[in-house]
Amino acid sequence: MDPDQWARDLAEQLLAAALPRRWNHSQGVGRKAETVAHIAGDGAHLLICSAWLHDIGYSPTVQDTGLHSLDGARYLRNAGAAEEICSLVAYHSCADIEARNRGLGDVLADEFAPPNAALLDALIYCDMTTSPDGNPVEGRARLDEILQRYPEGDVVARSISEATPRILAAEQRVLELLRQAG
């Protein structure tokens, strides 16, 4: 089976019925990755697969630690996914910051190596410029939306606030690559 199709099917299986809004978001992220994959060169299929799979850790059947990126990456590793896909899912959208804030930073680092920086930027771009309903948005608007969903002081709110400069910088780097690619 085509790896991209496998990723779409697995994400749908884990998210569509249990978390339809999360599935909508994942579809938007996956579709966006498909449209920008040309900037990833040989890593295009890694970007596409990780985009479709990035939020499977929210699935009730996958949740374990409460850190969805780690839970999703572990699930994928156990399912035989490529190491690079597991790593991208583990670190997507600056998850290393949330891992540290949850006391799981060493666990994340011990289990998964940091991914290729350019691919991670592209995944951050796809995730953080897609609304919860799967529609395109600017990165700043997406960050504001996340902060509105979580109370001040919540670990997710603190982590996203801390990650904001890195996320916005990744968005700008990808936009520049897309401009250069024409």
Side-chain angles (χ1 to χ4, degrees):
M1 174 185 279
D2 170 50
D4 298 349
Q5 187 63 51
W6 172 81
R8 283 189 292 272
D9 291 349
L10 181 58
E12 181 176 17
Q13 173 191 340
L14 293 169
L15 297 172
L19 301 166
R21 192 169 193 216
R22 184 68 55 189
W23 171 233
N24 289 340
H25 169 72
S26 294
Q27 289 178 87
V29 174
R31 285 191 302 269
K32 185 170 285 188
E34 291 167 355
T35 66
V36 304
H38 61 281
I39 67 168
D42 292 342
H45 91 89
L46 298 172
L47 172 61
I48 293 167
C49 288
S50 62
W52 281 99
L53 296 165
H54 78 286
D55 273 354
I56 64 166
Y58 283 114
S59 170
T61 61
V62 175
Q63 283 181 345
D64 180 35
T65 67
L67 179 61
H68 78 280
S69 58
L70 178 60
D71 294 343
R74 284 177 168 174
Y75 181 91
L76 291 169
R77 181 181 57 207
N78 292 338
E83 180 180 328
E84 296 91 343
I85 294 170
C86 298
S87 183
L88 284 162
V89 169
Y91 284 86
H92 80 273
S93 299
C94 304
D96 56 309
I97 293 173
E98 186 176 341
R100 178 179 32 87
N101 290 341
R102 289 182 180 273
L104 295 169
D106 290 340
V107 173
L108 179 69
D110 288 346
E111 290 191 35
F112 299 98
N116 171 282
L119 288 175
L120 185 59
D121 276 356
L123 181 57
I124 289 170
Y125 169 80
C126 293
D127 184 22
M128 290 299 174
T129 60
T130 303
S131 77
D133 296 313
N135 300 313
V137 295
E138 291 187 6
R140 173 55 70 186
R142 174 79 164 118
L143 291 164
D144 290 345
E145 179 275 322
I146 292 168
L147 290 172
Q148 289 173 6
R149 270 191 285 140
Y150 293 92
E152 189 175 333
D154 181 271
V155 67
V156 174
R158 287 193 332 260
S159 300
I160 283 293
S161 292
E162 185 178 341
T164 291
R166 283 174 48 191
I167 291 168
L168 294 175
E171 178 186 18
Q172 290 308 306
R173 286 190 294 269
V174 171
L175 287 171
E176 180 58 29
L177 287 172
L178 290 169
R179 276 191 286 278
Q180 290 173 6

